[in-house]
Amino acid sequence: MHAYIKKGTGKITIDYRDLAQEMYFKDENIEISHYGNNEMLWGEYSNFSVNLDKWLVDKRWKKIDGPVSITQPQSNINRISNTDIILAWTDNVEVTTMDQRAHYRMNYRITQELAGMISEDEKVSWMTPEAYYDLHKETIEMSFEAANAISLKEVLTIELNEELGNYR
């Protein structure tokens, strides 16, 4: 899954670990895997990837056999060269409810920080962060525990269809 974020007058200032806590759950010792740090997240190219190490939170994830892009998809942001557009994407086109929740929360927070707009239809139309939140409210506001329970069931039905991650 992917979306485009058009930068406005703001800038990204959230600490990457605080962003991960907003995406998943509040715990200063949250176990995440990530590429990048605050400088890369806040920088001109806004290049960052993160995912929750699910098996450390719920041991049932250890028993799930499947491609990493389905069981442990990264949520990524990358600025598209020579533009004010950031591509926000996951490793697989379809992801579990837990990973959707994390992705939507990340997109919402980054768009808010940038005072920007977001598009989920290949930049045909743009919406405010508030409209995006309203569109995905049910998933964004779902508890981590509920999203995890749903995800443990649906992960076995998701087919491998990796995102290219190079949309322009």
Side-chain angles (χ1 to χ4, degrees):
M1 67 189 312
H2 65 278
Y4 296 91
I5 300 170
K6 187 186 307 183
K7 294 169 77 174
T9 58
K11 64 181 194 173
I12 301 171
T13 60
I14 188 170
D15 180 271
Y16 77 90
R17 293 199 60 82
D18 292 338
L19 178 60
Q21 288 183 53
E22 283 192 28
M23 292 169 66
Y24 298 104
F25 56 86
K26 297 284 185 207
D27 181 345
E28 64 185 43
N29 297 315
I30 189 170
E31 293 289 342
I32 59 170
S33 293
H34 63 95
Y35 168 78
N37 53 26
N38 288 334
E39 289 75 24
M40 291 180 75
L41 178 61
W42 302 340
E44 181 180 346
Y45 297 103
S46 301
N47 188 2
F48 184 72
S49 299
V50 63
N51 73 289
L52 177 68
D53 295 333
K54 295 174 186 162
W55 65 92
L56 296 174
V57 176
D58 185 332
K59 301 296 183 209
R60 293 176 290 177
W61 282 100
K62 278 187 174 183
K63 298 176 185 172
I64 306 293
D65 186 30
V68 173
S69 59
I70 293 174
T71 61
Q72 293 291 119
Q74 297 273 335
S75 284
N76 309 280
I77 61 170
N78 303 97
R79 182 174 156 241
I80 298 173
S81 298
N82 302 315
T83 71
D84 284 336
I85 305 287
I86 292 173
L87 173 63
W89 55 283
T90 59
D91 294 341
N92 204 54
V93 173
E94 183 183 359
V95 296
T96 66
T97 299
M98 181 195 311
D99 297 309
Q100 285 176 14
R101 177 180 171 270
H103 184 72
Y104 294 155
R105 286 173 166 222
M106 177 188 75
N107 292 350
Y108 174 68
R109 179 58 188 260
I110 296 298
T111 306
Q112 268 190 317
E113 290 229 332
L114 293 171
M117 303 287 278
I118 190 163
S119 173
E120 292 187 302
D121 61 3
E122 305 303 322
K123 303 180 272 185
V124 172
S125 62
W126 296 89
M127 62 186 116
T128 65
E130 295 75 23
Y132 181 81
Y133 187 96
D134 289 342
L135 181 65
H136 299 295
K137 184 176 183 172
E138 183 178 341
T139 305
I140 289 172
E141 291 184 356
M142 184 181 295
S143 72
F144 175 82
E145 294 76 17
N148 185 49
I150 293 167
S151 296
L152 281 162
K153 294 174 188 167
E154 68 191 359
V155 70
L156 301 174
T157 66
I158 295 175
E159 293 184 26
L160 184 63
N161 185 6
E162 293 179 330
E163 280 280 7
L164 300 176
N166 62 356
Y167 296 90
R168 297 292 180 238

